[in-house]
Amino acid sequence: MLKKLLLVSALFIFTEFIQAQDCITCHKNVTPNIVTDWQLSMHAKSDVDCAVCHGTEHTSAEDVAKAKLPTVETCANCHEERVAQFKKGKHAAAWAAMKAMPTIHMQPMALIEGMKGCGGCHKIGIKSEEEIKQLRKDGSLFGNASCDACHTRHTFSVEEARQPQACQTCHEGFDHPQWEMYSNSKHGVRYLLKQTGVLPKESSAPTCQTCHMQNGNHEVRTAWGFLAVRLPMPEDKQWASDRATILQALGVLDMKGQPTKLVDVIKAADVARLSQEDWQKERDKMLKTCGQCHSENFAKGELLKGDDMIKNADHLMAEAIRVVADLYKDGIIKKPANYPFAFPMLLTFHDAPTVIEQKLFVMFLEHRMRTFQGTFHANPDYALWYGWSEMKRDLTEIKELAAQMRREHKK
């Protein structure tokens, strides 16, 4: 019996080996660099061949459609712990968060489902089986695996994913220029000098992963979340009022200050901390990380400066929102029918119907983001000139535009 089992096992391994060699022989001619990348990978060294991820049904150029395209569940077969962490984090919710944006359906398909715009980064989010079927039906066959957003196929390198450049593709530009802020900060400069050999490898210099993926944790969470709004409300009455105004303009609170159905969406997408305990947990993790290089009192003081910048930015932002809301109230701007109440919607992006509303969206999603993100990323230029200074100028322009619109309305 034992001999028979050993024989069956040997035949199975031999068959798998032959199939793998067939894949390699063919793809060396068809897609040679894919083969090279796989041969460089830990998968190749661990005998994880093509069939493990792509199945065995595709055997020739005539049946390419039978090749299975992996999803996050494919990776979970071997990387269960990391996938479980990923599923609890914000990256896993990226696709759902994108789809929840009010006017996302107004963008060209290539940018969203085609993954050449928002979808190009938000594809890291997990998609349901139905969503994947629909994407494939619409001709968008690739980009559903999530993990390969950071561990580039087919090397799937852990070492690559640990480098700050792995984050660069998505964390740059308009509303989240973390790469620019980090790479120009003292933290980033020192690490890039380590990469080029100017500084010794032993030198202290954090990467994005050092601060946001402690010990390789794939949840990737922060205390303030992406939009820097949270619950409960602060004790400071002015800040509480300002934050309430912002939450109303996000559609999270109604005109009476009561939570709307969007709170459930925020909970599901995990884009904000909704309890003091959740916020403090993430803050404590960050303090522990900072403490590897800095004293505790220095780290606390620096993070408190970031909190204070959010407070000050919120005050400017709330004033600008109220200026535009008053234009709705006085009938100078017609409220779009799809807005839930007489408040501007900050997340309509460039689809906001008037110039003043578009200026408000830019103030919120570009300049407010840079104000607090620049502070937390230790980049003074972004915190001031690309952030706070721009917000001050935005507010001046919004007030002037509103005054002009009122004058024209009286004519």
Side-chain angles (χ1 to χ4, degrees):
M1 184 66 180
L2 181 59
K3 285 183 179 180
K4 195 176 283 188
L5 284 172
L6 289 171
L7 181 60
V8 170
S9 178
L11 284 170
F12 176 77
I13 292 170
F14 180 73
T15 302
E16 289 283 294
F17 174 77
I18 293 299
Q19 288 177 334
Q21 292 306 305
D22 286 345
C23 295
I24 293 167
T25 300
C26 181
H27 278 274
K28 271 187 175 179
N29 294 318
V30 180
T31 53
N33 289 340
I34 286 180
V35 175
T36 300
D37 276 354
W38 175 77
Q39 289 173 330
L40 292 169
S41 73
M42 284 300 297
H43 284 169
K45 295 179 177 65
S46 304
D47 295 324
V48 178
D49 60 34
C50 315
V52 174
C53 298
H54 296 291
T56 57
E57 293 181 34
H58 161 49
T59 58
S60 70
E62 284 70 42
D63 60 9
V64 172
K66 291 182 179 180
K68 292 180 180 178
L69 293 176
T71 66
V72 69
E73 300 303 335
T74 309
C75 304
N77 288 323
C78 297
H79 303 283
E80 186 178 2
E81 181 183 1
R82 292 308 189 204
V83 169
Q85 291 170 347
F86 170 76
K87 285 182 176 181
K88 290 193 291 183
K90 67 176 183 180
H91 282 157
W95 189 259
M98 176 190 71
K99 287 289 190 177
M101 293 298 104
T103 62
I104 202 73
H105 64 282
M106 297 172 69
Q107 295 191 37
M109 185 283 288
L111 296 178
I112 308 304
E113 291 83 0
M115 303 178 187
K116 295 299 181 185
C118 299
C121 288
H122 283 261
K123 68 181 182 181
I124 194 174
I126 294 175
K127 305 156 202 72
S128 68
E129 287 186 24
E130 287 304 312
E131 285 176 311
I132 292 173
K133 285 180 183 177
Q134 187 61 47
L135 284 168
R136 290 175 178 170
K137 183 179 177 182
D138 294 340
S140 198
L141 305 176
F142 310 103
N144 298 314
S146 297
C147 306
D148 61 352
C150 304
H151 300 270
T152 311
R153 56 186 184 271
H154 280 80
T155 50
F156 298 104
S157 169
V158 173
E159 189 58 33
E160 176 191 351
R162 285 175 178 159
Q163 305 308 310
Q165 287 90 346
C167 310
Q168 182 178 356
T169 301
C170 296
H171 291 276
E172 65 169 3
F174 180 78
D175 59 338
H176 40 57
Q178 289 98 341
W179 169 256
E180 294 96 317
M181 291 185 288
Y182 163 78
S183 60
N184 291 314
S185 73
K186 184 56 69 175
H187 289 161
V189 167
R190 280 181 63 84
Y191 191 79
L192 296 176
L193 289 174
K194 282 177 66 174
Q195 286 184 319
T196 57
V198 174
L199 286 176
K201 290 182 179 180
E202 296 75 22
S203 302
S204 61
T207 63
C208 313
Q209 295 83 344
T210 304
C211 298
H212 297 291
M213 296 183 70
Q214 295 96 333
N215 301 314
N217 190 317
H218 280 50
E219 288 186 29
V220 196
R221 294 159 57 90
T222 58
W224 277 104
F226 179 59
L227 295 174
V229 288
R230 72 180 185 95
L231 296 175
M233 290 296 196
E235 292 182 6
D236 183 295
K237 290 184 179 180
Q238 183 62 62
W239 193 7
S241 174
D242 294 336
R243 191 186 296 173
T245 297
I246 292 170
L247 289 170
Q248 286 170 325
L250 289 170
V252 176
L253 297 182
D254 63 21
M255 299 307 290
K256 295 180 180 179
Q258 297 301 309
T260 68
K261 292 180 180 179
L262 272 178
V263 172
D264 292 331
V265 176
I266 288 172
K267 284 180 181 177
D270 196 33
V271 293
R273 307 287 82 81
L274 300 179
S275 73
Q276 177 62 27
E277 292 75 19
D278 283 348
W279 183 88
Q280 193 63 54
K281 177 184 175 184
E282 299 305 324
R283 173 55 62 90
D284 289 344
K285 279 168 58 179
M286 189 60 71
L287 283 169
K288 185 177 180 180
T289 300
C290 297
Q292 295 174 21
C293 298
H294 302 290
S295 67
E296 183 179 351
N297 63 331
F298 175 85
K300 282 183 177 180
E302 293 302 296
L303 293 176
L304 283 171
K305 290 173 188 175
D307 300 343
D308 187 62
M309 284 308 300
I310 294 172
K311 173 183 173 181
N312 283 280
D314 283 356
H315 191 55
L316 297 184
M317 195 70 236
E319 185 178 355
I321 291 168
R322 291 176 192 128
V323 169
V324 178
D326 284 345
L327 294 176
Y328 287 154
K329 180 182 175 183
D330 297 337
I332 296 167
I333 293 179
K334 183 179 179 181
K335 181 183 81 70
N338 62 325
Y339 286 16
F341 28 77
F343 241 56
M345 286 288 287
L346 293 175
L347 296 180
T348 49
F349 307 145
H350 35 257
D351 296 310
T354 65
V355 171
I356 194 170
E357 290 166 286
Q358 290 196 1
K359 174 61 69 174
L360 189 70
F361 133 70
V362 170
M363 182 180 181
F364 178 71
L365 210 56
E366 181 178 12
H367 301 143
R368 178 179 172 272
M369 299 287 266
R370 293 170 185 226
T371 300
F372 75 85
Q373 289 179 359
T375 306
F376 282 125
H377 283 88
N379 192 307
D381 214 42
Y382 266 88
L384 173 61
W385 291 115
Y386 296 120
W388 176 259
S389 175
E390 291 281 6
M391 288 191 77
K392 294 284 284 186
R393 285 179 274 173
D394 289 335
L395 181 57
T396 299
E397 287 186 50
I398 286 169
K399 286 180 175 179
E400 182 61 34
L401 282 169
Q404 182 180 335
M405 293 172 78
R406 288 183 179 280
R407 287 193 296 269
E408 292 177 354
H409 187 71
K410 287 180 180 179
K411 292 179 182 178

